[in-house]
Amino acid sequence: MFRVMVSHAKKHPSLIPLFLIIGSGGIGAALYVMRLAVFNPEVCWDKKNNPEPWNKLSPSDQYKFYSVNVDYSKLKKDRPDF
């Protein structure tokens, strides 16, 4: 598969930017899915030691990828402990 792509790129150099853009998009999507699987509080990989990891989050934990107007360090706890 890779040899076919290289042979096409040698015959048609205008395909090189297309291969780079498609490849970087695929790598970026895979990295984002890995980030969601590892750092998202709704995903539970270890159900024996921590069955409900979303209950252990403090209000100052930032788990969103990007937040525009919220400063998570200034938030106070407004919910009960479980």
Side-chain angles (χ1 to χ4, degrees):
M1 180 79 180
F2 186 69
R3 286 186 182 186
V4 173
M5 287 175 45
V6 171
S7 67
H8 282 301
K10 286 181 181 177
K11 291 178 187 175
H12 306 286
S14 62
L15 291 177
I16 294 172
L18 178 69
F19 290 150
L20 291 176
I21 290 171
I22 296 294
S24 64
I27 290 171
L31 289 175
Y32 184 68
V33 168
M34 266 184 23
R35 180 195 175 275
L36 287 177
V38 173
F39 295 116
N40 203 354
E42 284 89 15
V43 178
C44 183
W45 292 97
D46 186 16
K47 292 190 179 197
K48 291 182 180 177
N49 295 329
N50 193 5
E52 296 177 346
W54 50 87
N55 284 336
K56 303 222 186 250
L57 287 175
S58 69
S60 62
D61 291 339
Q62 179 180 356
Y63 60 91
K64 287 187 174 185
F65 186 69
Y66 180 70
S67 179
V68 181
N69 293 329
V70 179
D71 185 15
Y72 285 95
S73 64
K74 295 181 180 177
L75 291 178
K76 295 181 181 178
K77 188 173 183 177
D78 60 347
R79 55 187 181 245
D81 289 330
F82 290 105

